[in-house]
Amino acid sequence: EVQLVQSGAEVKKPGESLRISCKGSGYSFTSYWISWVRQMPGKGLEWMGRIDPSDSYTNYSPSFQGHVTISADKSISTAYLQWSSLKASDTAMYYCARHEAVAGTNWFDPWGQGTLVTVSS
Amino acid sequence: AIRITQSPSSLSASTGDRVTITCRASQGISSYLAWYQQKPGKAPKLLIYAASTLQSGVPSRFSGSGSGTDFTLTISCLQSEDFATYYCQQYYSYPPTFGPGTKVDIK
């Protein structure tokens, strides 16, 4: 079974750093891209960026460029989303999702179960 | 970025009803559109890709149509497990963008 399993919920203070993870199983991790998607409380879905785990090439949405870093360790089939300095406005559910590494096939399936990040002083 | 709108933003329906949700792109996206279902506290689930191709395991009461800028998701006979929020997503160009969602609840 193809699965993405994310790390657990986090509670952080403003200014702290954080890295959350997404581990793939049941498929060749380097044959698909991984994207990260934000969902703020009660809101819709926003694409943040993606990584090609085979070479760690990344693309970011302009809305998130410079505020988050996406990385991957193909040896352990895991992608990461990290912040160097969290803000209260980063409070949200974060999902990872797999998609094909071919243009024109970039729908997301499957999705991880989500990681809730709460940033509060 | 390509903007996606959905209508309605919410609707109330009864079990057995036929439900149609519309998605419109700000520019032509050919058939590069997917539909997702999200239930409260759960991750989104892919229903349809390439505008009209049903994902494996998704019930046949779900169908999609359209190309260019206008698309529809139809649930032919609403079941209790279909009450959820539905999102469309374009993948014609980066960044991929989602519609704001349509919440389907019980009348």
Side-chain angles (χ1 to χ4, degrees), chain A residues 33 35 37 39 43-47 50 59 61-62 95 99 104-109 111-114, chain B residues 32 34 36 38 41-46 48-50 55 87 89-91 94-100:
Chain A
W33 297 341
S35 276
V37 176
Q39 187 168 40
K43 302 299 183 183
L45 304 167
E46 302 171 90
W47 181 78
R50 65 96 174 171
N59 288 124
S61 166
Y95 294 102
H99 53 108
T105 61
N106 297 159
W107 57 83
F108 302 117
D109 180 65
W111 295 59
Q113 83 278 18
Chain B
Y32 295 113
Y36 302 88
Q38 187 179 34
K42 299 294 186 182
K45 172 188 171 185
L46 177 68
I48 287 168
Y49 60 92
Q55 172 68 344
Y87 295 93
Q89 174 233 333
Q90 69 81 20
Y91 50 93
Y94 270 85
T97 45
F98 294 87

Side-chain angles (χ1 to χ4, degrees), chain B residues 27-41:
Chain B
Q27 66 184 73
I29 59 171
S30 185
S31 296
Y32 295 113
L33 188 100
W35 289 95
Y36 302 88
Q37 176 193 67
Q38 187 179 34
K39 296 182 179 180

Side-chain angles (χ1 to χ4, degrees), chain B residues 54-95:
Chain B
L54 203 64
Q55 172 68 344
S56 175
V58 174
S60 59
R61 62 181 180 273
F62 291 92
S63 64
S65 65
S67 66
T69 59
D70 295 316
F71 303 85
T72 59
L73 172 70
T74 300
I75 310 171
S76 60
C77 183
L78 199 67
Q79 301 298 302
S80 58
E81 60 266 32
D82 301 335
F83 292 98
T85 299
Y86 294 85
Y87 295 93
C88 58
Q89 174 233 333
Q90 69 81 20
Y91 50 93
Y92 178 80
S93 68
Y94 270 85

Side-chain angles (χ1 to χ4, degrees), chain A:
Chain A
E1 178 192 7
V2 175
Q3 259 190 312
L4 296 175
V5 177
Q6 297 184 228
S7 50
E10 301 274 2
V11 179
K12 292 289 189 179
K13 290 180 166 49
E16 291 186 332
S17 62
L18 175 65
R19 188 177 77 168
I20 62 175
S21 66
C22 169
K23 183 174 177 61
S25 63
Y27 73 100
S28 173
F29 189 68
T30 55
S31 296
Y32 296 82
W33 297 341
I34 296 287
S35 276
W36 287 93
V37 176
R38 182 176 78 174
Q39 187 168 40
M40 299 180 76
K43 302 299 183 183
L45 304 167
E46 302 171 90
W47 181 78
M48 302 174 71
R50 65 96 174 171
I51 188 164
D52 180 347
S54 68
D55 60 8
S56 290
Y57 180 77
T58 53
N59 288 124
Y60 294 91
S61 166
S63 301
F64 294 92
Q65 178 89 46
H67 187 57
V68 297
T69 301
I70 296 171
S71 60
D73 184 342
K74 62 185 179 183
S75 69
I76 55 171
S77 301
T78 301
Y80 301 98
L81 177 66
Q82 69 180 67
W83 296 259
S84 59
S85 181
L86 287 159
K87 304 175 182 178
S89 57
D90 293 318
T91 295
M93 182 71 81
Y94 293 88
Y95 294 102
C96 63
R98 187 190 81 161
H99 53 108
E100 298 271 353
V102 175
T105 61
N106 297 159
W107 57 83
F108 302 117
D109 180 65
W111 295 59
Q113 83 278 18
T115 296
L116 180 63
V117 174
T118 303
V119 184
S120 174
S121 54

